[in-house]
Amino acid sequence: MNNAGSESQSEKDRSRPIGIFDSGVGGLTVYRALHDRLPNERFIYLGDTARVPYGTKSLATVERYALENSAFLASLGIKMLVVACNTASALALPSIREKIGLDVVGVIGPGGRRAVEVTTDEPAPRIGVIATEATVSSNAYKEAIRRASERAAILQSGCPLFVPLAEEGWTHEPETYSIARRYLADMKEFAPHALVLGCTHYPILRDVIAETLGESVKLIDSGIATADEVADLLREKGMANPNTIAGERRLCDDLDNFYVTDAAERFARVAERFLGVQPSKLEAIEVYGADEVKSENVEG
Ligand code: DGL
């Protein structure tokens, strides 16, 4: 995390929303974790549905998209940025931090650290990571785990078809189990103590993954680990919203804003599948060239 936020934030700064971006709809699992953990915060979510998937694209392309998304959110006056997309976190976090004058939290570090935490009692911990092809090739999770533990054995595996299966809502179909058995055959042999669900969509397929690998494997939801670290950061930096939000918060209520770069109707449909509810405030926008107007409204 960078230290861009000042120690004594003004009330106006602290009451700003938190920005979240993903390549599309999958980041809603991270939004849900943040919303559950931080009911007194407001969120602005951007899904880059025009350019999804990121998981099969090159570093240069993902970096460019990530910078445009970040600049768009910064121009809306957010107080902190959460990069919900594992692929963008793996490939573009340093560039985003360099360009955006805000605290930026990705999902890789928190997910990797959580996997190490839950396996510390094992004499020879084994940690598995499943993710998109781009995240696996970047070795970002491997490095994050290695930074937290020198002794963990690590196995990574790409599971690209899990993304469309989750979006289709095929969470318990025989085809999904069969694909999971094929993708996770080496992982099953490796017998990890913990498995990082290193892609936004994989928590949706939690049951299939748990049944395929055996219920004793601890499944790490990077979104939940990230929400905990965001809560700590807000507290440490005195950046939590000072104004109590009255009444019960609901996912996707009208205090949170959702933007997509294409196909808003499909996003709303899949959002309902993932969260049980459609966003109250959803708008289609363009982010191309947004890095030209970056940070206009952001003072902190
Ligand atoms: N959001 C992406 C991730 O977490 C998965 C979908 C994609 O490939 O863009 O890596």
Side-chain angles (χ1 to χ4, degrees):
M1 280 158 244
N2 76 20
N3 291 319
S6 86
E7 289 307 318
S8 56
Q9 302 282 331
S10 73
E11 184 165 331
K12 186 167 158 265
D13 286 336
R14 286 184 287 148
S15 56
R16 291 172 179 218
I18 295 172
I20 307 170
F21 86 79
D22 178 48
S23 54
V25 73
L28 289 175
T29 59
V30 181
Y31 161 71
R32 177 175 54 201
L34 285 161
H35 189 281
D36 288 354
R37 185 73 179 73
L38 298 161
N40 204 43
E41 300 294 337
R42 293 178 302 123
F43 301 96
I44 303 181
Y45 181 100
L46 169 64
D48 192 7
T49 45
R51 306 187 288 192
V52 70
Y54 285 11
T56 49
K57 295 196 168 75
S58 69
L59 187 148
T61 299
V62 172
E63 206 168 54
R64 179 158 58 85
Y65 294 172
L67 287 174
E68 286 176 345
N69 298 337
S70 305
F72 170 77
L73 287 168
S75 76
L76 299 180
I78 55 171
K79 64 180 171 185
M80 181 184 283
L81 176 66
V82 177
V83 181
C85 179
N86 288 254
T87 307
S89 296
L91 271 51
L93 214 54
S95 320
I96 300 171
R97 283 187 175 141
E98 200 188 301
K99 273 248 176 138
I100 304 291
L102 289 168
D103 284 289
V104 181
V105 182
V107 287
I108 306 278
R113 283 189 282 278
R114 179 64 52 89
V116 170
E117 268 161 38
V118 302
T119 53
T120 40
D121 290 343
E122 300 295 340
R126 287 184 302 277
I127 298 175
V129 177
I130 53 172
T132 63
E133 290 165 84
T135 300
V136 168
S137 321
S138 77
N139 283 322
Y141 268 112
K142 208 168 180 180
E143 285 160 18
I145 294 165
R146 194 47 77 231
R147 274 195 294 276
S149 163
E150 280 176 6
R151 57 198 189 95
I154 306 161
L155 181 71
Q156 305 185 91
S157 181
C159 303
L161 288 174
F162 282 179
V163 168
L165 288 169
E167 293 196 7
E168 279 302 299
W170 287 21
T171 51
H172 294 88
E173 267 63 7
E175 293 82 356
T176 311
Y177 280 93
S178 143
I179 289 167
R181 275 196 299 278
R182 189 158 167 182
Y183 274 153
L184 299 176
D186 290 347
M187 194 59 80
K188 199 172 160 96
E189 206 160 300
F190 178 65
H193 298 103
L195 179 79
V196 180
L197 306 178
C199 171
T200 46
H201 292 65
Y202 298 178
I204 304 290
L205 300 179
R206 203 185 172 93
D207 291 349
V208 180
I209 296 165
E211 281 176 48
T212 306
L213 287 181
E215 301 288 339
S216 66
V217 181
K218 293 176 176 137
L219 299 185
I220 308 301
D221 184 328
S222 288
I224 294 177
T226 301
D228 289 340
E229 292 204 10
V230 169
D232 291 345
L233 185 65
L234 288 173
R235 200 176 41 246
E236 274 162 30
K237 295 212 147 187
M239 282 164 70
N241 185 5
N243 307 309
T244 307
I245 294 179
E248 201 196 323
R249 287 300 304 281
R250 281 177 301 100
L251 281 169
C252 299
D253 63 18
D254 60 7
L255 293 174
D256 297 335
N257 287 72
F258 293 81
Y259 294 94
V260 287
T261 51
D262 196 14
E265 262 178 41
R266 180 176 190 275
F267 179 89
R269 245 190 354 262
V270 183
E272 185 157 24
R273 216 169 262 159
F274 280 18
L275 302 178
V277 61
Q278 297 199 1
S280 313
K281 286 180 166 173
L282 173 62
E283 209 181 305
I285 45 90
E286 282 197 4
V287 295
Y288 317 117
D291 47 350
E292 303 303 320
V293 295
K294 82 176 155 37
S295 303
E296 265 176 13
N297 295 332
V298 179
E299 289 133 31

